[in-house]
Amino acid sequence: MVDISYPITIAAARAWFRLGDVRLRMSGLEHIPTSGGALIAINHVSFVDYVMAGFPAAERGRLTRFMAKREVFEHPIGGPVMRSFHHISVDREAGAESMAVAAQRLRDGEVVGIFPEATLSRSFLIKPLKTGAVRIAADAGVPLIPIVLFGTQRFLTKGRKMDLSRHKTVGIEVGAPIHPSGDDPVGETAALQATMEGMLDRLITDYPAEERPPGAWWVPKAYGGSAPTLEEAEAMYAEERRQRAERKAAKRSER
């Protein structure tokens, strides 16, 4: 497939990193294959995770095709951009079709990115993972590579205004490939979760102390910050879902 806008966007991101003094601390780049299909599973803490999570593959000369919810593709501006990048639309009510598309892209030798938490984590810890990542990788017969980010939430995350001020560190760890069989999706997903949690712990622990003041809103409580706990964040999500359902019901009643 022909890519025109994607390489231009990567070049723009590199310029942003340089001019904004975005300090990328990356490790494990050697785990991204230079050819052949690979599924990368990424934690989700920010609206710029697509940019940051695709950077390790870009450093290896690869483009990542991200799976993203259908609503993004329906946006009048975002939709054409996502399609020009050849990303994969996910209809949450017809997930099997999206998984089949992703598996075929992987068999075709593409790098595909998935956020197995299925939504952004307000606690900045890793939410319980869905089994889709291990099932897709097993179906396609490709390695599943975990990537964990920390620090991207400082730029733009849910409930916060964009902050593009300079001199921010972003930690990115690429884990060793996993080869799920698909025989036990729940157990293999639990192993993936444990791996990603260990990676996140390293990123937070190693984050520059001078940039991480006590009580920082973007640091999990367990690490001295003031972000919501997993339980508090889940309660916030539940309230958001309730309000969203009420708005949908109100729109239906108006028709």
Side-chain angles (χ1 to χ4, degrees):
M1 57 185 68
V2 178
D3 287 285
I4 298 175
S5 57
Y6 208 156
I8 293 172
T9 301
I10 291 174
R14 292 182 192 277
W16 167 38
F17 299 157
R18 183 174 61 256
L19 296 174
D21 190 28
V22 179
R23 302 157 182 168
L24 296 183
R25 288 187 168 186
M26 292 193 291
S27 63
L29 292 183
E30 69 277 6
H31 296 311
I32 304 288
T34 55
S35 63
L39 181 64
I40 59 174
I42 313 124
N43 69 318
H44 199 9
V45 294
S46 166
F47 294 120
V48 300
D49 288 341
Y50 291 94
V51 177
M52 302 297 188
F55 203 64
E59 289 287 270
R60 299 281 283 172
R62 309 295 303 274
L63 298 177
T64 303
R65 315 301 179 180
F66 286 100
M67 301 181 71
K69 61 183 180 181
R70 182 187 60 186
E71 289 80 0
V72 178
F73 288 80
E74 293 175 344
H75 190 275
I77 298 175
V81 172
M82 296 292 280
R83 286 188 288 274
S84 75
F85 290 175
H86 305 294
H87 291 328
I88 302 168
S89 175
V90 176
D91 184 346
R92 292 178 178 176
E93 296 181 359
E97 181 178 345
S98 304
M99 290 173 65
V101 171
Q104 186 56 54
R105 294 282 192 90
L106 290 164
R107 294 188 198 99
D108 292 341
E110 296 275 2
V111 175
V112 173
I114 186 171
F115 294 93
E117 294 165 286
T119 189
L120 193 148
S121 173
R122 283 194 165 190
S123 69
F124 310 123
L125 296 173
I126 296 174
K127 291 167 56 65
L129 305 183
K130 308 297 184 183
T131 60
V134 299
R135 290 159 58 200
I136 293 170
D139 181 30
V142 300
L144 175 61
I145 303 171
I147 291 183
V148 175
L149 313 169
F150 186 73
T152 58
Q153 67 270 35
R154 298 178 65 188
F155 295 103
L156 180 62
T157 193
K158 197 160 192 174
R160 293 279 175 173
K161 292 182 179 180
M162 181 184 295
D163 179 4
L164 296 180
S165 58
R166 304 176 73 238
H167 316 305
K168 292 185 178 70
T169 295
V170 172
I172 305 175
E173 181 175 337
V174 183
I178 299 168
H179 299 276
S181 67
D183 295 333
D184 180 15
V186 173
E188 290 178 324
T189 299
L192 173 64
Q193 174 118 18
T195 295
M196 294 178 73
E197 288 173 345
M199 294 165 67
L200 179 62
D201 177 72
R202 284 191 292 275
L203 289 178
I204 298 175
T205 301
D206 294 342
Y207 203 84
E210 64 273 16
E211 292 185 53
R212 197 182 72 181
W217 65 265
W218 50 272
V219 176
K221 280 188 177 178
Y223 294 87
S226 59
T229 64
L230 278 167
E231 294 75 19
E232 291 168 343
E234 184 54 38
M236 295 166 70
Y237 283 123
E239 177 60 19
E240 288 175 4
R241 288 192 294 267
R242 185 191 67 78
Q243 293 179 4
R244 189 160 54 243
E246 286 185 351
R247 288 194 296 270
K248 287 183 178 179
K251 286 183 179 180
R252 284 195 298 267
S253 64
E254 291 173 358
R255 294 172 182 169

